[in-house]
Amino acid sequence: MPRYAHDGDGGCDLYSIQSYLLEPLQRATIRTGIVLEIPMGFGGLILPRSGLASKFGVTLSNSPGLIDSGYRGELMVALINLDPKNSFAIEEGMRIAQLVIVEVSQFIFEEVEELEGTDRDRGGFGSSGLG
Ligand SMILES: O=c1ccn([C@H]2C[C@H](O)[C@@H](COP(=O)(O)OP(=O)(O)OP(=O)(O)O)O2)c(=O)[nH]1
Ligand SMILES: [Mg+2]
């Protein structure tokens, strides 16, 4: 079962139900064995575990993965080994990612001719300066 490691944690750990050797720079979709009914108005985000990412370069290729409330299939974790030299052995029962359940809203999109101006306006990447 997904498990919160501590009271108040936002993410609960997801466990692999398979073993798999992730070669350097390889990606693989790993089974968790978990199916969920996330209530309407909520969604799940699958995030990397920071320890795996910082120590081994093992993270998610789609981070964050989105679990729609209507999804009834198995939660899958899209792992990638970004280490160029070392393979990483995923073992059965290993905590490979974490799930955060968040409130979501659907909006009705409208086509308009103009948008209200703001301080930022069209200033995009890096427009506030670097550093
Ligand atoms: O890390 C993930 C991401 C997604 N999913 C499942 C739940 C999600 O509801 C479904 C579809 O995901 P998404 O919409 O991100 O993928 P897509 O490529 O757009 O596929 P689709 O055409 O099925 O929407 O796959 C997972 O199990 N793990
Ligand atoms: Mg989709």
Side-chain angles (χ1 to χ4, degrees):
M1 290 290 278
R3 214 174 65 82
Y4 292 97
H6 306 103
D7 281 350
D9 280 358
C12 55
D13 290 322
L14 294 174
Y15 296 78
S16 172
I17 59 163
Q18 61 179 115
S19 45
Y20 192 95
L21 187 67
L22 257 188
E23 302 290 353
L25 303 177
Q26 191 194 355
R27 55 183 195 270
T29 304
I30 302 295
R31 297 187 56 189
T32 65
I34 298 294
V35 292
L36 292 177
E37 265 188 51
I38 298 180
M40 276 276 259
F42 294 85
L45 297 178
I46 300 188
L47 277 70
R49 291 191 66 210
S50 306
L52 290 184
S54 61
K55 289 187 190 132
F56 305 105
V58 172
T59 184
L60 305 182
S61 60
N62 62 341
S63 184
L66 171 65
I67 311 300
D68 298 292
S69 67
Y71 180 64
R72 295 291 179 267
E74 180 175 354
L75 299 200
M76 303 299 288
V77 176
L79 285 182
I80 182 164
N81 178 6
L82 294 178
D83 192 293
K85 293 205 182 99
N86 299 298
S87 52
F88 182 82
I90 298 163
E91 284 155 19
E92 209 179 311
M94 181 182 267
R95 293 174 295 155
I96 50 171
Q98 52 188 327
L99 174 71
V100 178
I101 310 252
V102 293
E103 211 165 341
V104 295
S105 310
Q106 282 198 347
F107 287 75
I108 296 164
F109 296 99
E110 253 178 67
E111 199 169 330
V112 294
E113 294 302 323
E114 274 183 40
L115 302 177
E116 203 170 306
T118 68
D119 273 357
R120 172 180 287 279
D121 216 273
R122 290 176 190 227
F125 299 167
S127 64
S128 68
L130 298 173

